[in-house]
Amino acid sequence: MSGKKYLNEIIQQIPPSGIRKYFDLASQMEGVVSLGVGEPDFETPWHIREEAIYAIKSGKTFYTSNVGLPQLRKEICNYYRRRFNVSYKWDKECMVTVGGSEAIDIVMRTILNPGDEVILLQPGYVAYEPLVRLAGGVPVIIELKEENKFKLTAEELQSAISDKTKMLFINFPGNPTGGSMSREDYEKIVPIIKQHDFVVLTDEIYAELSYGNEFCTIASFEEIKEQVIIINGFSKAYSMTGWRVGYLLADEEIIKSMNKIHQYCIMCPSTISQYAAVEAAAHGDADCKLHHDSFEGRRNFIVNGLNRIGLKCHMPEGAFYVFPSIKSTGLTSDEFCEQLLNTEKVAVVPGTAFGGCGEGYIRISYAYSIDEIKEALTRIERFLNSLKK
Ligand code: PMP
């Protein structure tokens, strides 16, 4: 008997995440070096963990307000002002979510009417397109180019806009390419956004992992701030993936409406995790810096290593992924990943998991120790040499 007949049409058309496929295969093999997962390898700093322990000991075991603990919303808004120079009102323009993941879903369900178009940038994070479709939206894809360092250009944006455009969804620094936008880059697209008056959803989860240039949020352009919804969270900056705390910053009316969905299906994120997050937002800047510097060193190491062994790889300006081209091997991304896993036991993710234009690329996460990265490079080099024979 199959329950398939009961499923709705949209869910039947959505494929499972292309990232998981290789982890599932790899988890059944011995001696695999996996550079697949997009999560920091640090344990959460102790002063943050201690706040959670203290919250449990002092009986903080009840629901919080739907939009999250007041202290947490205050600290989140302080953090954005301190770090990125944009101001939001903690009591009206901020809400706490179960990771950035919940935030993406409730934005879509709050903003989209069936048939509305959402401009998505690909290669892009795996959750975006399915969540747009589940909310009845229609994805319009812009294929970002390696020669533009995977940034969004004004020409690309202009050509994707129609009279059905409701939202532009951006993610800089981006997963999987590490592409970043500077203030000067944004200056070229902001007038177009203002003219067409659609929503800009900006996923800033990798803001703290910007190398070289300072991170710039598009919300810092006052002329379009009302159009902007920010998603961010604690997972990547503070190494808190398992705590499941994220947040949204936006116009008061949008926050109020998003909270209607959140209060019915979530109630509130874990109270204990929220207390830990207060500590992170208030006193975690040094942790972010430490993680940032460590990742920057690993980025330089892996990019140099990949170019040395013959996989052309641009230097990403953020996040903890590299996105080298494998076109020189003549293999498809899927063939490359499958053969690399089977012959050398290295797990990486095919570029196609992030959209069709990821063909010819692979995503490697460098949120692993230098020893693991070294070992993976040795194995990948051996694999490349075997292809030449
Ligand atoms: N956005 C991007 C771009 C991500 O890479 C991730 C996690 N891989 C998320 C959002 C979701 O993270 P979380 O739900 O842990 O905040």
Side-chain angles (χ1 to χ4, degrees), residues 99-101 125 128 171 175 203 205-206 235-236 244:
S101 302
Y125 180 46
Y128 296 161
N171 168 224
N175 177 4
D203 179 344
I205 200 123
Y206 295 106
S235 289
K236 317 284 173 168
R244 312 307 305 129

mmCIF file of all heavy atoms in Angstrom, residues 99-101 125 128 171 175 203 205-206 235-236 244, ligand 1:
data_model
loop_
_atom_site.group_PDB
_atom_site.id
_atom_site.type_symbol
_atom_site.label_atom_id
_atom_site.label_comp_id
_atom_site.label_asym_id
_atom_site.label_seq_id
_atom_site.Cartn_x
_atom_site.Cartn_y
_atom_site.Cartn_z
ATOM 1 N N GLY A 99 15.520 28.773 13.945
ATOM 2 C CA GLY A 99 16.549 28.823 12.901
ATOM 3 C C GLY A 99 16.139 29.735 11.761
ATOM 4 O O GLY A 99 14.989 30.199 11.678
ATOM 5 N N GLY A 100 17.097 29.990 10.889
ATOM 6 C CA GLY A 100 16.792 30.719 9.666
ATOM 7 C C GLY A 100 15.811 29.913 8.822
ATOM 8 O O GLY A 100 15.059 30.471 8.017
ATOM 9 N N SER A 101 15.787 28.618 9.020
ATOM 10 C CA SER A 101 14.945 27.737 8.193
ATOM 11 C C SER A 101 13.460 28.071 8.352
ATOM 12 O O SER A 101 12.742 28.209 7.368
ATOM 13 C CB SER A 101 15.187 26.275 8.578
ATOM 14 O OG SER A 101 16.547 25.962 8.425
ATOM 15 N N TYR A 125 21.068 28.184 -2.065
ATOM 16 C CA TYR A 125 20.784 27.257 -0.968
ATOM 17 C C TYR A 125 19.576 26.370 -1.302
ATOM 18 O O TYR A 125 18.566 26.852 -1.829
ATOM 19 C CB TYR A 125 20.541 28.063 0.315
ATOM 20 C CG TYR A 125 20.231 27.231 1.529
ATOM 21 C CD1 TYR A 125 20.978 26.102 1.833
ATOM 22 C CD2 TYR A 125 19.189 27.585 2.383
ATOM 23 C CE1 TYR A 125 20.682 25.342 2.947
ATOM 24 C CE2 TYR A 125 18.901 26.836 3.504
ATOM 25 C CZ TYR A 125 19.644 25.711 3.776
ATOM 26 O OH TYR A 125 19.352 24.959 4.884
ATOM 27 N N TYR A 128 15.558 27.127 -0.717
ATOM 28 C CA TYR A 128 14.818 28.282 -1.225
ATOM 29 C C TYR A 128 13.725 27.898 -2.234
ATOM 30 O O TYR A 128 12.564 28.282 -2.089
ATOM 31 C CB TYR A 128 15.766 29.292 -1.891
ATOM 32 C CG TYR A 128 16.790 29.929 -0.978
ATOM 33 C CD1 TYR A 128 17.926 30.544 -1.516
ATOM 34 C CD2 TYR A 128 16.645 29.941 0.409
ATOM 35 C CE1 TYR A 128 18.871 31.145 -0.707
ATOM 36 C CE2 TYR A 128 17.597 30.534 1.227
ATOM 37 C CZ TYR A 128 18.708 31.128 0.660
ATOM 38 O OH TYR A 128 19.651 31.723 1.460
ATOM 39 N N ASN A 171 21.243 36.136 -0.973
ATOM 40 C CA ASN A 171 22.007 35.474 0.091
ATOM 41 C C ASN A 171 23.502 35.721 -0.157
ATOM 42 O O ASN A 171 24.145 35.012 -0.902
ATOM 43 C CB ASN A 171 21.676 33.966 0.072
ATOM 44 C CG ASN A 171 22.605 33.120 0.934
ATOM 45 O OD1 ASN A 171 23.060 32.045 0.510
ATOM 46 N ND2 ASN A 171 22.901 33.557 2.125
ATOM 47 N N ASN A 175 25.677 30.602 0.106
ATOM 48 C CA ASN A 175 25.836 29.155 0.051
ATOM 49 C C ASN A 175 25.272 28.746 -1.311
ATOM 50 O O ASN A 175 24.115 29.091 -1.570
ATOM 51 C CB ASN A 175 25.029 28.528 1.195
ATOM 52 C CG ASN A 175 25.062 27.022 1.209
ATOM 53 O OD1 ASN A 175 25.746 26.406 0.414
ATOM 54 N ND2 ASN A 175 24.311 26.436 2.129
ATOM 55 N N ASP A 203 19.028 36.810 3.154
ATOM 56 C CA ASP A 203 19.459 35.787 4.110
ATOM 57 C C ASP A 203 20.912 36.102 4.474
ATOM 58 O O ASP A 203 21.819 35.902 3.656
ATOM 59 C CB ASP A 203 19.321 34.406 3.444
ATOM 60 C CG ASP A 203 19.767 33.269 4.349
ATOM 61 O OD1 ASP A 203 20.448 33.522 5.361
ATOM 62 O OD2 ASP A 203 19.451 32.105 4.020
ATOM 63 N N ILE A 205 22.800 34.916 6.990
ATOM 64 C CA ILE A 205 23.280 33.943 7.968
ATOM 65 C C ILE A 205 24.814 33.823 7.986
ATOM 66 O O ILE A 205 25.400 33.427 8.988
ATOM 67 C CB ILE A 205 22.573 32.587 7.715
ATOM 68 C CG1 ILE A 205 22.617 31.686 8.932
ATOM 69 C CG2 ILE A 205 23.127 31.870 6.517
ATOM 70 C CD1 ILE A 205 21.277 31.266 9.401
ATOM 71 N N TYR A 206 25.466 34.210 6.859
ATOM 72 C CA TYR A 206 26.941 34.150 6.801
ATOM 73 C C TYR A 206 27.584 35.530 6.948
ATOM 74 O O TYR A 206 28.759 35.700 6.609
ATOM 75 C CB TYR A 206 27.394 33.482 5.496
ATOM 76 C CG TYR A 206 26.986 32.034 5.415
ATOM 77 C CD1 TYR A 206 25.944 31.625 4.582
ATOM 78 C CD2 TYR A 206 27.613 31.064 6.190
ATOM 79 C CE1 TYR A 206 25.542 30.298 4.529
ATOM 80 C CE2 TYR A 206 27.221 29.732 6.145
ATOM 81 C CZ TYR A 206 26.188 29.363 5.315
ATOM 82 O OH TYR A 206 25.793 28.048 5.272
ATOM 83 N N SER A 235 23.204 29.962 14.125
ATOM 84 C CA SER A 235 23.832 28.689 13.747
ATOM 85 C C SER A 235 25.275 28.835 13.294
ATOM 86 O O SER A 235 26.160 28.123 13.776
ATOM 87 C CB SER A 235 23.045 28.039 12.610
ATOM 88 O OG SER A 235 21.802 27.570 13.075
ATOM 89 N N LYS A 236 25.503 29.734 12.354
ATOM 90 C CA LYS A 236 26.827 29.761 11.704
ATOM 91 C C LYS A 236 27.796 30.675 12.438
ATOM 92 O O LYS A 236 28.965 30.351 12.591
ATOM 93 C CB LYS A 236 26.686 30.218 10.248
ATOM 94 C CG LYS A 236 25.528 29.605 9.489
ATOM 95 C CD LYS A 236 25.761 28.178 9.073
ATOM 96 C CE LYS A 236 24.482 27.598 8.467
ATOM 97 N NZ LYS A 236 24.656 26.333 7.799
ATOM 98 N N ARG A 244 18.915 25.781 17.289
ATOM 99 C CA ARG A 244 17.770 26.175 16.465
ATOM 100 C C ARG A 244 17.207 27.547 16.839
ATOM 101 O O ARG A 244 16.041 27.690 17.203
ATOM 102 C CB ARG A 244 16.638 25.109 16.519
ATOM 103 C CG ARG A 244 17.064 23.663 16.316
ATOM 104 C CD ARG A 244 17.874 23.447 15.046
ATOM 105 N NE ARG A 244 17.197 23.924 13.857
ATOM 106 C CZ ARG A 244 17.800 24.744 12.966
ATOM 107 N NH1 ARG A 244 19.043 25.165 13.122
ATOM 108 N NH2 ARG A 244 17.134 25.128 11.908
HETATM 109 N N1 PMP B 1 20.358 29.861 4.969
HETATM 110 C C1 PMP B 1 21.487 29.363 4.465
HETATM 111 C C2 PMP B 1 22.108 30.032 3.296
HETATM 112 C C3 PMP B 1 22.071 28.207 5.013
HETATM 113 O O1 PMP B 1 23.191 27.722 4.491
HETATM 114 C C4 PMP B 1 21.432 27.594 6.112
HETATM 115 C C5 PMP B 1 21.984 26.325 6.745
HETATM 116 N N2 PMP B 1 22.749 25.522 5.980
HETATM 117 C C6 PMP B 1 20.249 28.165 6.603
HETATM 118 C C7 PMP B 1 19.742 29.298 6.017
HETATM 119 C C8 PMP B 1 19.470 27.585 7.749
HETATM 120 O O2 PMP B 1 20.171 27.585 8.925
HETATM 121 P P1 PMP B 1 19.453 27.466 10.362
HETATM 122 O O3 PMP B 1 18.086 26.990 10.166
HETATM 123 O O4 PMP B 1 20.320 26.517 11.124
HETATM 124 O O5 PMP B 1 19.514 28.859 10.912
#
